[in-house]
Structures are given as C-alpha cells and as structure tokens.
Amino acid sequence: MSEPVNRARRTLNETPADRLVGGVRTVLDEAYGISEAELYQVDYRLAELLPLTEGDSLRGAGHPAWRAFDHQSPVLVDGVAWLPVSMRGERRGVLRLAPVVDDPAVLAALADIATSLAHEVAAVSPGTDVYSVARRSQRLTLAAEMQWDLLPGRSRVRPSFSLAGQLEPAYAVRGDSFDWSDDGERLWLSTVNGSGEGVAASLLTSLATHALRNARRAGLGLSDQAALADQAIYDEYRGKRHLSALLMELDLRSGTMTVVDAGSPRLVLLRRGQVTEQPLEAQFPLGMFEATDYHEQTFTLERGDRLFVVSDGVVDATGQSIRYGETALDRFLRRTGPMEPLDAVRSLLGDLRAFVAGDLVDDAVVVCLDWTGPQSERGGQ
C-alpha cells in the first residue's frame, strides 16, 4: 500500500470528527498537489448528492458524480476525480478531488482513500450530527428521524449475497421499516409493514424491531423471535395495536430460506427473468392476540435468484385515480434483472414517485436480496 494511503488513514484516525475531509485534503495536497476536496453524500431519498460544506446539489444520472456512485468506480473528467465513498456495500456518496492527473496508480490510491473515508464517516457519525445534517435536502419529521436511526444501513454486500432496502416517503416515513444481520453463515432479514400515524407508528415499529433483535441475539429461531415480539407488543398495547412483519433466515451455504409470515408484506421471486409471488403461510400480525404460536416454512433459492419484499404502500399507490397494482409492479421488477439491488430499489421507488407525481402518501418499504451462492469469504467483505 502506498505511503499517501497510509498517511491518509492515519490522518483520518487522528482528525476531529467534523474535519475529516479537510484532513484528507491536507495529505493529498502534499502528496499529489490536490487542493480541492469535497464530500457529496447521497440524500435520504437516493435522489441527490449533497455537498458537505458548499456547492450545489447534484441530480441526474449523466453527471460524473452519479456515474461514480452508480457504477462504484472512479470517474475522471477534465482533471476532476469523482470517487465512490462506500464500505461493505453501503454507498454513502462520492468524493470530489481536483486537480487529479490521469494516472491509474494515482486513481487507485485515491479510491482506497475514499473507502477509508467511508469507514471513518460511519465510525464518527454516532457522535456528531455534521454528516447526518448535510445529507438531508429537507427537514425530517420526528417519526422519520426515529425510523432512519433504527435501520442497519441501506445496502450490504458479501461474496454470497447483496442486499438493499429503502423507505418512502423518505423524509416523512412513519411505520414501515427493515432490519438485517449476518454472521458469514446465515443472513437474517425482517421487514415491517407498520401501521398508524406519526410518532405512534414509529414507536410501535421500534418496539417490534428491538424485540426481534433481542430474540435473534439470544439465539432463538424465527418462530420464537416472532413469538417474543408478538408478546412484547401485546403486553404494551393489549391487542389495540399490531403490525405485519416478514421474518427471514437464509442459510448462505445451501440457499435454504426459512420464513415466518406474520401478516407480512409481499414476497416476490425473480428467477431467470420470471416474476412469481412466493406463497407463504399467512399468520396473525404481531401483537394482535396474546401468546400466538408461529410456524416456520422453508423453500430453497437457486444461484442468481433475486427476492423483493414490498409493502402494500407500493402496490396500492395511486396516481390520477389509478392504482399502481401487481401487474405494473411485476413488469417493472423484470426490468431490474441487470441492476444491483440498491439500484433496483431506487429505480422502483423512482418509478413509483413518477406514477403518483410526487411523494407517496402512504408508507412504502422495498427490500431486494440477491443470493449468489456459496462463496469464499477470504479477502474481506
């Protein structure tokens, strides 16, 4: 690894949390004569790249910044480099640097530094609002603030799977949410189709998510995870409030998917260009009744399979008195085959916003999972 990359990493570790980009710029100026550095973060809607300090927001797929973000590779145009700021599949934005010489070795070193910046921004963000504030183009509602802080991220990549999720309306979402975790052998994924309005909906979803995490981290199976969350919600609301959830556990070695459908969102399989709804055993939503027993079911994925989880806010979205519906959804999902999961999710919700001619009225959650089959984990994740 080059000395400038090592120096940049050391500088990032030592620089105050709110001055990371300035610390990197100092190192790059000394090593490569790069005098300009700016971090552009993708906003909550996945529609704009917003500067950390100054400049205009960037829209439009044709801009070099968006090409770097979409293709996850450096783009050099007229001495200006745009570098993906991503870590473990989580795309945070792009780093703009200038002037940059057209040298593959230099671009490779700068790409490494941009990745290090992504890791450091993720590490310091819980302790500073600087990066969170800069990535919003408008104020979040209180409920949306709670929901976004609850998420594990928006995308995750390992050799055996790729995963992405998104909430809409991004700046005013209330009850819909998702959660995931993996340990190299298994992937756990839960998607919640929340109910209610405002903070009350977020509180219900937060209780369910933390109850599911508590059960998962205790080593319980999916049916017991559902039962524990069900009881926690019932104890709090006595059946007056409940929510729908889909719990999934994927064996990354075999492709065996275990599922508990608690009144869940729709689960759609894209296999070899064909879209089919995965049949599930419908069970009671979490918290509807006391001491509900939940049952697991299994099915097997094939290499290259793609799963979508979509809430009813997607299918039921209405534009000009016309419902989006299953037919339009299935037709659009077929077109996502060549896309990465985050791009597929972003494209679907962009199509939905265009259909309703604005932000969605009801909450919607979309999660996309690709299983690529058992892979060697050597070389990192």
Side-chain angles (χ1 to χ4, degrees), residues 19 27-28 32 64 74 93 96 110 117 122-123 125 132 164 191 193 208 212 221 262 283 297 303 342 370:
R19 303 176 186 175
V27 173
L28 296 181
Y32 301 113
R96 179 191 183 276
L110 297 178
L117 176 62
S125 288
S132 177
T191 307
N193 188 3
L212 290 169
Q283 302 176 70
Q297 65 183 102
R303 289 176 182 267
L342 184 63
D370 286 353

mmCIF file of all heavy atoms in Angstrom, residues 19 27-28 32 64 74 93 96 110 117 122-123 125 132 164 191 193 208 212 221 262 283 297 303 342 370:
data_model
loop_
_atom_site.group_PDB
_atom_site.id
_atom_site.type_symbol
_atom_site.label_atom_id
_atom_site.label_comp_id
_atom_site.label_asym_id
_atom_site.label_seq_id
_atom_site.Cartn_x
_atom_site.Cartn_y
_atom_site.Cartn_z
ATOM 1 N N ARG A 19 -13.914 17.257 10.835
ATOM 2 C CA ARG A 19 -12.935 17.815 9.900
ATOM 3 C C ARG A 19 -12.259 16.748 9.046
ATOM 4 O O ARG A 19 -11.130 16.934 8.579
ATOM 5 C CB ARG A 19 -11.873 18.597 10.678
ATOM 6 C CG ARG A 19 -12.447 19.721 11.537
ATOM 7 C CD ARG A 19 -11.385 20.406 12.358
ATOM 8 N NE ARG A 19 -11.956 21.377 13.279
ATOM 9 C CZ ARG A 19 -11.261 22.048 14.187
ATOM 10 N NH1 ARG A 19 -9.938 21.838 14.286
ATOM 11 N NH2 ARG A 19 -11.854 22.911 14.990
ATOM 12 N N VAL A 27 -3.352 15.939 3.323
ATOM 13 C CA VAL A 27 -2.465 14.843 2.896
ATOM 14 C C VAL A 27 -2.359 14.798 1.378
ATOM 15 O O VAL A 27 -1.259 14.654 0.815
ATOM 16 C CB VAL A 27 -2.977 13.501 3.434
ATOM 17 C CG1 VAL A 27 -2.168 12.339 2.863
ATOM 18 C CG2 VAL A 27 -2.927 13.481 4.960
ATOM 19 N N LEU A 28 -3.484 14.929 0.685
ATOM 20 C CA LEU A 28 -3.489 14.827 -0.777
ATOM 21 C C LEU A 28 -2.790 16.016 -1.432
ATOM 22 O O LEU A 28 -2.175 15.873 -2.502
ATOM 23 C CB LEU A 28 -4.928 14.714 -1.284
ATOM 24 C CG LEU A 28 -5.683 13.460 -0.839
ATOM 25 C CD1 LEU A 28 -7.079 13.447 -1.417
ATOM 26 C CD2 LEU A 28 -4.927 12.200 -1.252
ATOM 27 N N TYR A 32 -0.006 14.788 -3.817
ATOM 28 C CA TYR A 32 -0.362 14.820 -5.241
ATOM 29 C C TYR A 32 -0.678 16.222 -5.767
ATOM 30 O O TYR A 32 -1.041 16.366 -6.943
ATOM 31 C CB TYR A 32 -1.594 13.937 -5.486
ATOM 32 C CG TYR A 32 -1.409 12.492 -5.102
ATOM 33 C CD1 TYR A 32 -2.137 11.952 -4.035
ATOM 34 C CD2 TYR A 32 -0.538 11.664 -5.794
ATOM 35 C CE1 TYR A 32 -1.994 10.613 -3.674
ATOM 36 C CE2 TYR A 32 -0.386 10.329 -5.450
ATOM 37 C CZ TYR A 32 -1.120 9.814 -4.383
ATOM 38 O OH TYR A 32 -0.976 8.488 -4.034
ATOM 39 N N PRO A 64 -20.901 13.077 -13.881
ATOM 40 C CA PRO A 64 -19.813 12.169 -13.494
ATOM 41 C C PRO A 64 -19.928 11.660 -12.057
ATOM 42 O O PRO A 64 -19.549 10.523 -11.759
ATOM 43 C CB PRO A 64 -18.561 13.039 -13.682
ATOM 44 C CG PRO A 64 -18.951 14.069 -14.684
ATOM 45 C CD PRO A 64 -20.393 14.327 -14.470
ATOM 46 N N PRO A 74 -14.085 4.872 -9.978
ATOM 47 C CA PRO A 74 -13.656 6.261 -10.145
ATOM 48 C C PRO A 74 -13.975 6.797 -11.540
ATOM 49 O O PRO A 74 -13.908 6.068 -12.534
ATOM 50 C CB PRO A 74 -12.140 6.187 -9.915
ATOM 51 C CG PRO A 74 -11.915 4.926 -9.154
ATOM 52 C CD PRO A 74 -12.960 3.976 -9.632
ATOM 53 N N GLY A 93 -21.785 8.058 -0.750
ATOM 54 C CA GLY A 93 -21.717 9.188 -1.661
ATOM 55 C C GLY A 93 -20.476 9.122 -2.508
ATOM 56 O O GLY A 93 -19.988 8.040 -2.844
ATOM 57 N N ARG A 96 -15.153 14.348 -4.307
ATOM 58 C CA ARG A 96 -14.671 15.136 -5.448
ATOM 59 C C ARG A 96 -13.282 15.666 -5.126
ATOM 60 O O ARG A 96 -13.066 16.321 -4.101
ATOM 61 C CB ARG A 96 -15.608 16.310 -5.725
ATOM 62 C CG ARG A 96 -15.163 17.195 -6.893
ATOM 63 C CD ARG A 96 -15.970 18.487 -6.952
ATOM 64 N NE ARG A 96 -15.587 19.300 -8.104
ATOM 65 C CZ ARG A 96 -14.559 20.142 -8.140
ATOM 66 N NH1 ARG A 96 -13.776 20.271 -7.071
ATOM 67 N NH2 ARG A 96 -14.309 20.839 -9.225
ATOM 68 N N LEU A 110 -6.287 6.953 -4.672
ATOM 69 C CA LEU A 110 -7.353 7.851 -4.243
ATOM 70 C C LEU A 110 -8.636 7.086 -3.931
ATOM 71 O O LEU A 110 -9.379 7.443 -2.996
ATOM 72 C CB LEU A 110 -7.615 8.902 -5.316
ATOM 73 C CG LEU A 110 -6.450 9.855 -5.627
ATOM 74 C CD1 LEU A 110 -6.839 10.814 -6.737
ATOM 75 C CD2 LEU A 110 -6.009 10.610 -4.382
ATOM 76 N N LEU A 117 -12.273 6.887 3.986
ATOM 77 C CA LEU A 117 -13.130 7.977 4.435
ATOM 78 C C LEU A 117 -14.523 7.462 4.774
ATOM 79 O O LEU A 117 -15.124 7.866 5.779
ATOM 80 C CB LEU A 117 -13.203 9.062 3.363
ATOM 81 C CG LEU A 117 -14.152 10.232 3.643
ATOM 82 C CD1 LEU A 117 -13.729 10.996 4.887
ATOM 83 C CD2 LEU A 117 -14.215 11.167 2.429
ATOM 84 N N ALA A 122 -18.598 6.529 8.896
ATOM 85 C CA ALA A 122 -19.511 5.609 9.589
ATOM 86 C C ALA A 122 -19.152 5.508 11.068
ATOM 87 O O ALA A 122 -20.037 5.452 11.934
ATOM 88 C CB ALA A 122 -19.458 4.235 8.936
ATOM 89 N N ALA A 123 -17.856 5.518 11.369
ATOM 90 C CA ALA A 123 -17.412 5.369 12.757
ATOM 91 C C ALA A 123 -17.744 6.594 13.605
ATOM 92 O O ALA A 123 -18.109 6.463 14.775
ATOM 93 C CB ALA A 123 -15.912 5.088 12.801
ATOM 94 N N SER A 125 -20.062 9.064 12.907
ATOM 95 C CA SER A 125 -21.405 9.624 12.771
ATOM 96 C C SER A 125 -22.265 9.516 14.028
ATOM 97 O O SER A 125 -23.063 10.420 14.307
ATOM 98 C CB SER A 125 -22.126 8.983 11.575
ATOM 99 O OG SER A 125 -21.572 9.460 10.359
ATOM 100 N N SER A 132 -24.946 13.704 9.200
ATOM 101 C CA SER A 132 -26.373 13.438 9.103
ATOM 102 C C SER A 132 -27.137 14.658 8.604
ATOM 103 O O SER A 132 -28.010 14.562 7.737
ATOM 104 C CB SER A 132 -26.918 13.009 10.474
ATOM 105 O OG SER A 132 -28.308 12.809 10.419
ATOM 106 N N ALA A 164 -30.287 -4.664 -0.279
ATOM 107 C CA ALA A 164 -30.552 -3.231 -0.193
ATOM 108 C C ALA A 164 -31.997 -3.005 0.210
ATOM 109 O O ALA A 164 -32.877 -3.830 -0.071
ATOM 110 C CB ALA A 164 -30.262 -2.537 -1.529
ATOM 111 N N THR A 191 -38.765 -7.479 7.693
ATOM 112 C CA THR A 191 -39.390 -6.324 7.069
ATOM 113 C C THR A 191 -40.720 -6.081 7.756
ATOM 114 O O THR A 191 -41.513 -7.008 7.920
ATOM 115 C CB THR A 191 -39.618 -6.558 5.567
ATOM 116 O OG1 THR A 191 -38.390 -6.954 4.961
ATOM 117 C CG2 THR A 191 -40.115 -5.297 4.892
ATOM 118 N N ASN A 193 -44.268 -3.940 7.971
ATOM 119 C CA ASN A 193 -45.261 -3.096 7.302
ATOM 120 C C ASN A 193 -46.066 -2.439 8.413
ATOM 121 O O ASN A 193 -47.074 -2.956 8.866
ATOM 122 C CB ASN A 193 -46.151 -3.957 6.400
ATOM 123 C CG ASN A 193 -47.080 -3.116 5.541
ATOM 124 O OD1 ASN A 193 -47.027 -1.900 5.575
ATOM 125 N ND2 ASN A 193 -47.945 -3.773 4.804
ATOM 126 N N ALA A 208 -41.148 -3.407 18.069
ATOM 127 C CA ALA A 208 -41.074 -4.678 17.354
ATOM 128 C C ALA A 208 -39.649 -4.994 16.920
ATOM 129 O O ALA A 208 -39.171 -6.121 17.082
ATOM 130 C CB ALA A 208 -41.996 -4.644 16.136
ATOM 131 N N LEU A 212 -37.387 -8.140 18.217
ATOM 132 C CA LEU A 212 -36.862 -9.138 17.280
ATOM 133 C C LEU A 212 -35.346 -9.240 17.397
ATOM 134 O O LEU A 212 -34.785 -10.346 17.368
ATOM 135 C CB LEU A 212 -37.266 -8.776 15.855
ATOM 136 C CG LEU A 212 -38.756 -8.927 15.518
ATOM 137 C CD1 LEU A 212 -39.076 -8.293 14.164
ATOM 138 C CD2 LEU A 212 -39.150 -10.411 15.501
ATOM 139 N N GLY A 221 -34.788 -19.214 17.328
ATOM 140 C CA GLY A 221 -35.209 -19.418 15.948
ATOM 141 C C GLY A 221 -36.278 -18.425 15.549
ATOM 142 O O GLY A 221 -36.815 -17.675 16.377
ATOM 143 N N ALA A 262 -45.951 -13.114 9.319
ATOM 144 C CA ALA A 262 -46.888 -12.589 10.316
ATOM 145 C C ALA A 262 -47.670 -11.441 9.682
ATOM 146 O O ALA A 262 -47.433 -10.274 9.947
ATOM 147 C CB ALA A 262 -46.139 -12.124 11.560
ATOM 148 N N GLN A 283 -50.088 -15.860 8.741
ATOM 149 C CA GLN A 283 -50.308 -15.988 10.174
ATOM 150 C C GLN A 283 -50.643 -14.619 10.751
ATOM 151 O O GLN A 283 -50.542 -13.606 10.074
ATOM 152 C CB GLN A 283 -49.067 -16.584 10.853
ATOM 153 C CG GLN A 283 -48.693 -17.963 10.283
ATOM 154 C CD GLN A 283 -47.414 -18.521 10.884
ATOM 155 O OE1 GLN A 283 -47.389 -18.887 12.058
ATOM 156 N NE2 GLN A 283 -46.356 -18.565 10.100
ATOM 157 N N GLN A 297 -41.741 -21.925 7.699
ATOM 158 C CA GLN A 297 -41.780 -22.684 6.459
ATOM 159 C C GLN A 297 -40.472 -22.445 5.724
ATOM 160 O O GLN A 297 -39.761 -21.468 6.005
ATOM 161 C CB GLN A 297 -42.972 -22.297 5.589
ATOM 162 C CG GLN A 297 -42.939 -20.877 5.066
ATOM 163 C CD GLN A 297 -44.182 -20.513 4.271
ATOM 164 O OE1 GLN A 297 -45.066 -19.838 4.767
ATOM 165 N NE2 GLN A 297 -44.228 -20.975 3.026
ATOM 166 N N ARG A 303 -28.913 -20.327 -7.277
ATOM 167 C CA ARG A 303 -27.914 -19.284 -7.553
ATOM 168 C C ARG A 303 -28.477 -18.268 -8.546
ATOM 169 O O ARG A 303 -29.061 -18.633 -9.564
ATOM 170 C CB ARG A 303 -26.657 -19.897 -8.169
ATOM 171 C CG ARG A 303 -25.825 -20.738 -7.198
ATOM 172 C CD ARG A 303 -24.667 -21.368 -7.965
ATOM 173 N NE ARG A 303 -23.855 -22.227 -7.120
ATOM 174 C CZ ARG A 303 -22.770 -21.832 -6.470
ATOM 175 N NH1 ARG A 303 -22.379 -20.578 -6.582
ATOM 176 N NH2 ARG A 303 -22.078 -22.665 -5.730
ATOM 177 N N LEU A 342 -29.362 -2.086 -4.783
ATOM 178 C CA LEU A 342 -29.684 -0.709 -4.421
ATOM 179 C C LEU A 342 -30.225 0.058 -5.611
ATOM 180 O O LEU A 342 -31.169 0.855 -5.473
ATOM 181 C CB LEU A 342 -28.451 -0.001 -3.858
ATOM 182 C CG LEU A 342 -28.702 1.429 -3.351
ATOM 183 C CD1 LEU A 342 -29.673 1.436 -2.183
ATOM 184 C CD2 LEU A 342 -27.404 2.114 -2.961
ATOM 185 N N ASP A 370 -30.215 -10.475 -3.368
ATOM 186 C CA ASP A 370 -29.642 -11.397 -4.353
ATOM 187 C C ASP A 370 -28.825 -12.454 -3.620
ATOM 188 O O ASP A 370 -27.986 -12.116 -2.771
ATOM 189 C CB ASP A 370 -28.703 -10.662 -5.320
ATOM 190 C CG ASP A 370 -29.438 -9.806 -6.328
ATOM 191 O OD1 ASP A 370 -30.680 -9.875 -6.383
ATOM 192 O OD2 ASP A 370 -28.765 -9.042 -7.052
#
